[in-house]
Amino acid sequence: TSWPVPVDNVEGAAVANVNGRLIFLFAERAEGQPQTLLRWADLTLQPLAFGPFREAAFAAPAPSGRYARPISAIDVDNDGRIYVASAVDTGNDHGPFRSTIWRIGRIEADGNDGIMMVLDRKPERLATLHGIKVEGLAVRQQPGGEPELFFGTDDEHHGGILRVVPGSGV
């Protein structure tokens, strides 16, 4: 299928369940830019269709600079909390790489049959990871407990890893 709106280079995408509605979220790579746009819309699967997209600007507090990507991965937990990774990749397949994982806000019903994104004024830093480039996040909801957050990397010539974010799920 065609991408639902004009894009340049999508870096992260996720699907959230908000009050029984599927919500599709995505962000552009925005490498070297101070911010990127998080966009979201209702998603139906049969037939595949998107509702109108809304957007909110997100500026990662770190990392920043010429090779920084404000969002390199996204996921959402069962309570609508939004997690993102930010990364630095200089374009050299040997690195150096650096990533930060954040909890940045929530996606929730707005009370008027719509969905809104509420971004925190100050995102919560969950991890800073030197030497790796996080390009995937996944939340596993623990029965009766806090969500457990995993990250996946694509470290070019150094391969990839999948690990739990230290301190999540406890």
Side-chain angles (χ1 to χ4, degrees), residues 117-149:
M117 185 176 295
V118 180
L119 297 179
D120 298 336
R121 278 197 276 169
K122 184 176 180 184
E124 180 182 355
R125 183 188 309 248
L126 301 177
T128 299
L129 307 160
H130 297 281
I132 58 178
K133 180 176 49 158
V134 174
E135 295 212 64
L137 291 173
V139 176
R140 179 174 68 173
Q141 203 72 38
Q142 298 291 329
E146 287 296 310
E148 190 172 32
L149 184 62

Side-chain angles (χ1 to χ4, degrees), residues 5 13 25-29 42 50 65 78 81 88-89 102 124 130 154 161:
V5 292
L25 301 88
F26 77 93
E28 297 266 356
R29 182 180 189 136
D42 280 284
F50 297 92
N78 289 353
R81 292 177 291 212
V88 170
D89 177 358
W102 309 93
E124 180 182 355
H130 297 281
D154 173 11
I161 57 173

Side-chain angles (χ1 to χ4, degrees):
T1 186
S2 298
W3 200 261
V5 292
V7 294
D8 181 47
N9 190 341
V10 173
E11 185 78 357
V15 176
N17 184 332
V18 178
N19 295 343
R21 293 166 62 180
L22 294 180
I23 308 299
F24 177 72
L25 301 88
F26 77 93
E28 297 266 356
R29 182 180 189 136
E31 184 170 328
Q33 302 300 312
Q35 67 183 23
T36 190
L37 292 176
L38 273 164
R39 295 183 176 141
W40 70 96
D42 280 284
L43 167 67
T44 56
L45 300 177
Q46 295 295 329
L48 180 62
F50 297 92
F53 276 84
R54 297 177 64 189
E55 61 188 40
F58 172 73
S64 62
R66 180 175 173 192
Y67 301 109
R69 301 173 189 171
I71 293 180
S72 58
I74 307 171
D75 206 2
V76 180
D77 71 18
N78 289 353
D79 293 324
R81 292 177 291 212
I82 304 166
Y83 302 86
V84 302
S86 304
V88 170
D89 177 358
T90 63
N92 181 331
D93 285 347
H94 293 287
F97 307 118
R98 186 173 73 252
S99 302
T100 306
I101 299 173
W102 309 93
R103 186 171 30 236
I104 66 167
R106 302 176 55 81
I107 189 158
E108 58 191 35
D110 69 4
N112 295 317
D113 199 35
I115 300 294
M116 65 182 180
M117 185 176 295
V118 180
L119 297 179
D120 298 336
R121 278 197 276 169
K122 184 176 180 184
E124 180 182 355
R125 183 188 309 248
L126 301 177
T128 299
L129 307 160
H130 297 281
I132 58 178
K133 180 176 49 158
V134 174
E135 295 212 64
L137 291 173
V139 176
R140 179 174 68 173
Q141 203 72 38
Q142 298 291 329
E146 287 296 310
E148 190 172 32
L149 184 62
F150 292 83
F151 67 87
T153 69
D154 173 11
D155 296 327
E156 308 301 340
H157 290 316
H158 302 288
I161 57 173
L162 175 67
R163 292 189 181 152
V164 69
V165 174
S168 72
V170 289

